[in-house]
Amino acid sequence: MIYLYAILVLAALGGGLAVLLLLAGRYICNYGECRVKINDREPITVQGGGKLLDALYANDIFIPSACGGQGTCGFCKLRVLNGGGPVLPTETPFLTTVELNAGARLACQVKIRNDLEIVVKDEYLLVQRFAATVSAARMVTSDIREIRLKLLDPARIDFRPGQYIQIAVPHKRETVFRAYSLASPPSMAGEVELLVRLIPGGLGSTYLHRVQPGDAVIFTGPYGEFELDTAPDTELVCVGGGCGMAPMRSLLRHVAETAPDHPCWLFFGARTSDQLMYREELEALAQKMPKLRLHFALSEPDKSPDWTGETGFIHQSAERHLQPGQARQAFLCGPPQMLAAARKVLKDKGLDDKAIFADEF
Amino acid sequence: MASTTSYTLILLGSILANNILLAKFLGMCSFIAISRSMRTAFGMGAAVTFVTFCTTLLNYAIYTGVLRHGSRFLPAVDLSYLSFLIFILVIAGFVQLVEMVLERFMPSLYFSLGIYLPLITVNCAILGVNLFMIDQGLIYDFAQTAVYALGSGLGFWLAICLMAGIRHRLREADIPLPLQGLGMAVIITGLMAMAFMGFTGMVN
């Protein structure tokens, strides 16, 4: 009997508190309708009380976000001119003093309590949500999968080579977004290709390694600020490793289609020879592009006895082959240590910071 | 029996002689962590005082109404072993509610308290006051419990502000390297506790 009382009392109190909080949430946290003015557009009307990021997504404005609104990736930066309240401690690690003074905030941390006036990058307003299906998938190395997506709605995507998309990954009852570079050239507008390395425990890579042809995939895009310099005497220098191949394939295939005489370098590093992907495809490209120079280097050549090419880290290969004094634009994509080393080499060769674009993963 | 003197004694006793921080050493984590600047220490003290006062009264009502043996609504059963569970539930729920109300109606206070408000949920000083209240609940009536809870909160407020003041002054002091930061904070806490022991004779 005493246990029954105990359970009843606990349940009554717990239930009472829950109901009280639910009611309080409904009535106290009701902020009514708020107007959000974005750049110079007409204000949109949203239900107050939610996060700015969610409200923007609900209104088809897809600013980048990789962590699902947890405040851990810092991608969803925008400027709040009016009505955002003070900056929260969860945001400060991602914002520099200059950004703070300009009103920068993380959209996932800003709660809509009143009318807002915000500024987002114009290119984000062009980002669309795409419905697609997986049309083909194959493994290109032991852990990297090439996935081809056929666009359904909208049926075409306009992007610049080197840009990326955000795949919607279903996770429990929510959706989180993970960024992947586009590996296909812009001319293939009805389909896109991705390269995905399987990271044990990674949400996005596990999902994309599990999808099968015919499965539906949702993504938003395109994102990314890289712009190819098409001046004929500016060399394009690509340095990367692993999945960093994706944006470089897009860039090189684009150049092959639009300006095959453009001077290009590709430095691609791997540990062993079976991690070198698309060698045949790239060598075929080099036939069409007289000024494309390909350099592959292995950092662990002992494990690939047939290898006769270069050895060592890829930045050392770049250091050997690039001569200073040439106008160049660099695109780096790979693991952080590789990029840091490559950046240093490129700067020694006379490249300006502005001419080096890095895409870390 | 409940004369003005007894209220004064309870109030002074809980603020000074039985200071929740310096005599009972509860709530040390927030005491050390949030005493770096006077402004935040003041805000934390105010929040703790408010929540302690309200939850102690709520829990007093629940304890005497339902939980204890001979309670008003369930006199036959003794559910006092549930008090831990229920007290923490009530504290958590109350802090949630306070947070909602502050965010909606007093946004400036809400933002100045920031992260400290949700932190109060797991502040052991508050649960401590709630549990000591049971010990004294057998002696204290509702009004005396209210005074006791208020005094304990004020004691926390006083101690954390004193600490913030001392640490502010120490900023310019030449402290040996191994003692800088936490080490010095703990030594100061000990010294303050000894100073507060002096009040014991005054009240008892």
Side-chain angles (χ1 to χ4, degrees), chain B residues 8-28:
Chain B
T8 323
L9 270 182
I10 294 171
L11 189 67
L12 283 181
S14 53
I15 296 180
L16 300 173
N18 293 314
N19 187 293
I20 192 82
L21 271 171
L22 296 170
K24 302 221 163 76
F25 286 96
L26 288 173
M28 289 315 283

Side-chain angles (χ1 to χ4, degrees), chain A residues 6 13 24 28 30 86 111 113, chain B residues 74 81 86 97 103-104 111:
Chain A
L13 255 166
I28 298 176
N30 181 2
K111 190 167 172 179
R113 297 186 179 82
Chain B
L74 287 174
Y81 61 90
I86 284 176
L97 200 66
E103 187 181 0
R104 181 82 170 97
F111 285 116

Side-chain angles (χ1 to χ4, degrees), chain A residues 52-66:
Chain A
L52 179 57
L53 183 70
D54 299 334
L56 290 177
Y57 268 67
N59 284 283
D60 287 345
I61 292 163
F62 304 106
I63 56 173
S65 161

